[in-house]
Amino acid sequence: MSSKEIPYKIYLTESEMPESWYNVRSAMKTKPAPLLNPGTHEPMKAEELAPVFCEELIAQELDNDTEYFPIPEEVRNFYKMYRPSPLVRAYCLEEALDTPAHIYYKFEGNNTSGSHKLNSAIAQAYYAKKQGLKGVTTETGAGQWGTALSMACGYLGLDCKVYMVKVSYEQKPFRREVMRTYGANVTPSPSETTAIGRKILADHPGTTGSLGCAISEAVEVATSTEGYRYVLGSVLNQVLLHQSIIGLETEAALKKYDIVPDMIIGCAGGGSNLGGLIAPFMRDKIQGKLDARIIAVEPASCPSFTRGVYAYDFCDTGMVCPLAKMYPLGSDFIPSANHAGGLRYHGMSSTLSQLYDDGLMEAVAVEQTAVFEAAERFARVEGILPAPESSHAIKVAIDEALKCKETGEAKNIVFGLTGTGYFDLVAYQKFHDGEMNDYIPTDDELKAYAAKLPKVD
Amino acid sequence: MSSKEIPYKIYLTESEMPESWYNVRSAMKTKPAPLLNPGTHEPMKAEELAPVFCEELIAQELDNDTEYFPIPEEVRNFYKMYRPSPLVRAYCLEEALDTPAHIYYKFEGNNTSGSHKLNSAIAQAYYAKKQGLKGVTTETGAGQWGTALSMACGYLGLDCKVYMVKVSYEQKPFRREVMRTYGANVTPSPSETTAIGRKILADHPGTTGSLGCAISEAVEVATSTEGYRYVLGSVLNQVLLHQSIIGLETEAALKKYDIVPDMIIGCAGGGSNLGGLIAPFMRDKIQGKLDARIIAVEPASCPSFTRGVYAYDFCDTGMVCPLAKMYPLGSDFIPSANHAGGLRYHGMSSTLSQLYDDGLMEAVAVEQTAVFEAAERFARVEGILPAPESSHAIKVAIDEALKCKETGEAKNIVFGLTGTGYFDLVAYQKFHDGEMNDYIPTDDELKAYAAKLPKVD
């Protein structure tokens, strides 16, 4: 516990902002398993990845040893538009819960993309521009990543082609409109603009699309258009590297007030936020300098860590991307349509999967209705209307704070509040109207998906 | 110009936050004209206002002399959830405009209500609670004020009844859903819950409502329900007083870096944001200590200052509220439906009206399409997606910065960025699709409205 008076919001000054990203793989005794070529099952080489990804990003992706990567000055200047983000002491929540615990959250929602996704979007767009590319392509589902990438490309004057899952394109016109404001070209997927899109439309007339299909279209355009590459907003090592800015700022803010965390909690879909938040703390834990629990929170409807197996799987539904070792549910696993927001990915970052397999991290699965109850409780006392994804972490932070109330322990609970829920109000409406339910896949369902995982020796 | 290095965002520490609101009326040589009883045309007395408004708010409303009102501790703690708000140096915009001007904006959008409205909502809810009331009623059009009041009441455990113009209730379900998240009771207006609502529905079957009608319903419920009062989010002196927190923080942040503003720009609908932003600067200007231009920006479609006359008018369309002296267009003036967002009020704060009449303030009217062009230009380089209201100030700040480019002057331009446009994307879509136009009322139209102003000796 700190002897200094802790403000509601701990802001670092701009001069205290980290100047490098931290690569948590450098501290890992067992490195994450490499991406494999889906044909040969050999580790992917840089030259195999080059038609799809930008050069410097490939170097970051494959580098398990370098500890720090300097953040380019142009990226740091962009960060200053919305960073450092505040580490908030949740005094009002503590009071409402009547808990002796001290609750802190790192809030990443104070930017127009509404989430932490911007941290990696600007980095990836920067390297694309530096390589002399004309533009990048990507897919987006709920739209957070597409929005973030649009903002980054708009800033750098880079063309941005977003394939947006058709059902989201139609149901979330506001997200689409934000992307247009930043100059992005947004196409509902599947579309007539690609060979794979035309094939899918012919095979499945009237389909409303899927993330897997949108990825395939974005990759096809990137690899077939001069001066374009494909970028991705989660799962990859490079993304976790860029997101380490979250953890490094959190670490610096805690140190400023002599606060030692007892637990660090984050939601996990593909792992970008959690991997970034925990990076420096995981290093200290591996090195025996920190004795804190690190907790991944996932939806019970998409339970990668808690019910998946540690195995190789395709990263995309279309099975054209490399194989990654993770805790997959099977690349054709699609969570219940009732499930709101993100965290729907069928797998998990290879880095986090290895850390989890090593016992350095815990995982908890939580049900949707309880998540929205926690979200509303939080909103009413802390002001911020949280994104459904972020609310998974809120739910577990509240649960842990209530345990402290029972034991009388003043533990320091730190969680990641990844974003705001301003574009998720259809889900809130369902919750208020009692139309939300908690779908949990059965063991038999998960076994059937697991049986279809690719065989890798 | 400052010799210190100015960061992208100037944050005050929590201990540097103002502890009192500043009452700009105390510095005015000619005080704003009093509210008049609509029947007798005599100045309204506190006891006449007591059935409608909370006691302490009435005292604030009628006090033209007290300089500072201490901010209650509970309100200050609430402020710490989202304040101090940053004063941002718009380095990226300056670079994009290639101007020698230094542009600063006070950003009030980093809270879930999405605007500065929360500053007064929490104050008004606090005094209602202190008076032992059960709840408050209000009306909301676009929804910013209703959201802010819902948040404040949710925090204090006060009941909140919001009458939301029916067309907005149906077209902006997300705003409504945010209010429900904070526990507010939201009723589409006109409704069957009030006598005036039933009368309007009988007289005009199928009407989609108006702000004037929603005010009448909210006032009826407040005055006829035990333990309730009515609250209002703009125009009133008390609201400008609470919003002075914006100006006081801006003043403190500028002083921290030895910056003297050459002009201060704000959008003006009812005047709550502008009145708050300029309060301490206007004092200095009146006292001859500051030689800065103060510029109100209004939409050309609702040109109160630039084309209204200085006269008494009703504050509401229903003509039941007191008369206020302002620059009205006539209480039944309704701006073109094509006009996006707020700033639609037919009148203007009495305080600002007097300052304008005294020649202490300038006013500019800008057209809608040009405002959205400025909004998009700003969003692409500064990241933040601005509210249409705020974008009026952006438009004039850009115009002034471009004038500096011509003259080579490094002027300090300060403007108020009141909020974000996340719930205004229908308007952005119209802009992108070329469906927006610039309606400007004709002289004959304005004359016809002005002819209907009440006769006051």
Side-chain angles (χ1 to χ4, degrees), chain A residues 107-411:
Chain A
F107 181 44
E108 293 288 319
N110 271 350
N111 71 75
T112 290
S113 84
S115 82
H116 66 293
K117 294 287 184 189
L118 200 50
N119 300 330
S120 185
I122 184 60
Q124 296 194 47
Y126 169 79
Y127 290 117
K129 172 116 178 175
K130 193 179 165 202
Q131 194 176 323
L133 298 176
K134 288 181 202 154
V136 292
T137 72
T138 199
E139 79 291 334
T140 202
Q144 282 182 334
W145 168 247
T147 309
L149 190 66
S150 302
M151 289 178 69
C153 288
Y155 180 79
L156 295 172
L158 208 59
D159 187 42
C160 179
K161 295 185 194 300
V162 180
Y163 283 84
M164 186 171 188
V165 177
K166 191 181 275 177
V167 62
S168 297
Y169 182 90
E170 286 165 358
Q171 288 183 355
K172 296 203 169 188
F174 293 167
R175 277 278 188 208
R176 181 186 75 203
E177 221 44 52
V178 177
M179 290 185 254
R180 283 177 83 192
T181 301
Y182 288 95
N185 184 314
V186 188
T187 306
S189 167
S191 76
E192 296 283 350
T193 65
T194 65
I196 183 81
R198 288 188 293 272
K199 181 175 185 314
I200 290 169
L201 284 171
D203 293 349
H204 307 279
T207 177
T208 55
S210 72
L211 209 50
C213 167
I215 294 177
S216 303
E217 290 203 83
V219 171
E220 179 184 322
V221 172
T223 52
S224 62
T225 312
E226 179 69 29
Y228 281 76
R229 292 292 184 282
Y230 168 74
V231 296
L232 182 66
S234 189
V235 182
L236 297 175
N237 293 327
Q238 59 187 269
V239 178
L240 270 67
L241 174 69
H242 307 146
Q243 295 295 358
S244 69
I245 186 87
I246 304 173
L248 294 166
E249 282 188 9
T250 303
E251 182 192 34
L254 290 173
K255 280 197 176 148
K256 204 162 169 175
Y257 287 89
D258 303 328
I259 303 157
V260 178
D262 294 300
M263 65 190 91
I264 298 154
I265 301 167
C267 63
S272 69
N273 141 69
L274 182 67
L277 173 64
I278 67 174
F281 304 104
M282 185 55 85
R283 174 200 58 212
D284 290 354
K285 187 165 178 172
I286 291 169
Q287 296 174 353
K289 294 174 190 162
L290 178 70
D291 180 26
R293 293 171 60 198
I294 294 179
I295 307 172
V297 189
E298 59 186 18
S301 60
C302 189
S304 310
F305 272 142
T306 51
R307 296 174 70 198
V309 287
Y310 193 34
Y312 268 100
D313 195 5
F314 287 94
C315 290
D316 63 322
T317 319
M319 302 188 185
V320 295
C321 292
L323 300 176
K325 195 169 182 188
M326 38 193 190
Y327 275 82
L329 298 170
S331 64
D332 55 355
F333 177 84
I334 295 177
S336 161
N338 181 270
H339 175 73
L343 311 183
R344 301 171 64 92
Y345 188 60
H346 71 277
M348 183 58 72
S349 145
S350 290
T351 298
L352 294 185
S353 294
Q354 185 60 47
L355 291 167
Y356 182 60
D357 195 59
D358 288 342
L360 289 160
M361 229 169 77
E362 306 166 41
V364 183
V366 291
E367 296 182 18
Q368 183 163 243
T369 308
V371 165
F372 274 81
E373 280 163 7
E376 187 163 283
R377 187 172 196 174
F378 179 84
R380 288 198 190 177
V381 292
E382 289 289 322
I384 298 162
L385 184 84
E389 297 84 351
S390 326
S391 304
H392 288 70
I394 295 174
K395 162 67 180 152
V396 172
I398 289 177
D399 287 350
E400 292 292 337
L402 292 174
K403 284 182 202 162
C404 287
K405 185 178 176 179
E406 284 177 26
T407 61
E409 291 171 289
K411 286 188 180 169

Side-chain angles (χ1 to χ4, degrees), chain B residues 27-337:
Chain B
M28 291 169 68
K29 285 166 192 166
T30 310
K31 303 297 180 190
L35 293 173
L36 299 185
N37 181 304
T40 65
H41 289 192
E42 292 295 317
M44 290 290 283
K45 298 192 191 83
E47 55 268 32
E48 292 175 284
L49 294 167
V52 181
F53 295 114
C54 301
E55 287 159 18
E56 286 213 37
L57 293 168
I58 294 169
Q60 293 178 354
E61 187 67 31
L62 300 177
D63 188 335
N64 287 335
D65 303 309
T66 301
E67 281 187 84
Y68 288 95
F69 288 85
I71 306 173
E73 193 186 350
E74 202 158 355
V75 176
R76 274 192 285 138
N77 285 343
F78 186 90
Y79 278 170
K80 287 178 189 167
M81 276 207 243
Y82 68 100
R83 309 199 67 84
S85 71
L87 181 72
V88 185
R89 171 75 185 269
Y91 282 117
C92 299
L93 180 61
E94 291 169 19
E95 197 187 322
L97 299 174
D98 190 24
T99 174
H102 294 192
I103 308 174
Y104 299 86
Y105 54 91
K106 181 69 169 168
F107 180 45
E108 292 288 319
N110 272 349
N111 70 76
T112 291
S113 83
S115 81
H116 66 293
K117 294 287 183 190
L118 200 50
N119 300 330
S120 184
I122 184 62
Q124 297 195 47
Y126 169 80
Y127 290 117
K129 172 114 178 176
K130 193 180 165 202
Q131 194 174 325
L133 298 176
K134 287 181 202 153
V136 291
T137 72
T138 200
E139 78 293 331
T140 202
Q144 282 182 332
W145 167 247
T147 308
L149 190 67
S150 303
M151 289 178 68
C153 289
Y155 179 80
L156 294 173
L158 208 61
D159 187 41
C160 179
K161 295 186 195 299
V162 180
Y163 284 84
M164 186 171 186
V165 177
K166 192 181 273 176
V167 61
S168 296
Y169 183 89
E170 286 165 358
Q171 287 182 356
K172 294 203 169 188
F174 294 167
R175 276 277 188 209
R176 182 186 77 203
E177 223 41 54
V178 177
M179 290 185 252
R180 284 176 82 192
T181 301
Y182 288 94
N185 185 314
V186 188
T187 305
S189 169
S191 76
E192 296 283 351
T193 65
T194 65
I196 183 80
R198 288 189 292 274
K199 182 175 184 311
I200 290 169
L201 285 171
D203 293 349
H204 307 278
T207 176
T208 55
S210 72
L211 209 51
C213 168
I215 293 178
S216 303
E217 290 203 83
V219 171
E220 179 184 322
V221 172
T223 52
S224 63
T225 313
E226 179 69 30
Y228 281 75
R229 290 295 183 282
Y230 167 74
V231 296
L232 183 65
S234 190
V235 181
L236 298 175
N237 292 327
Q238 58 187 270
V239 178
L240 269 67
L241 174 69
H242 307 147
Q243 295 295 358
S244 69
I245 186 86
I246 305 173
L248 293 166
E249 282 186 11
T250 303
E251 181 191 35
L254 290 173
K255 279 196 176 151
K256 206 164 169 174
Y257 288 90
D258 303 328
I259 302 157
V260 178
D262 295 300
M263 64 191 90
I264 299 156
I265 301 167
C267 62
S272 69
N273 142 68
L274 182 67
L277 173 65
I278 67 174
F281 303 104
M282 185 55 85
R283 174 199 59 212
D284 289 355
K285 186 166 179 171
I286 290 170
Q287 297 174 352
K289 295 174 188 161
L290 178 69
D291 179 26
R293 292 171 61 198
I294 294 180
I295 307 172
V297 189
E298 59 185 17
S301 60
C302 189
S304 310
F305 273 142
T306 50
R307 297 174 69 197
V309 287
Y310 193 35
Y312 269 99
D313 195 5
F314 288 94
C315 290
D316 63 322
T317 319
M319 304 189 184
V320 295
C321 291
L323 301 176
K325 195 169 181 187
M326 37 196 191
Y327 275 83
L329 298 170
S331 64
D332 56 354
F333 177 84
I334 295 177
S336 161

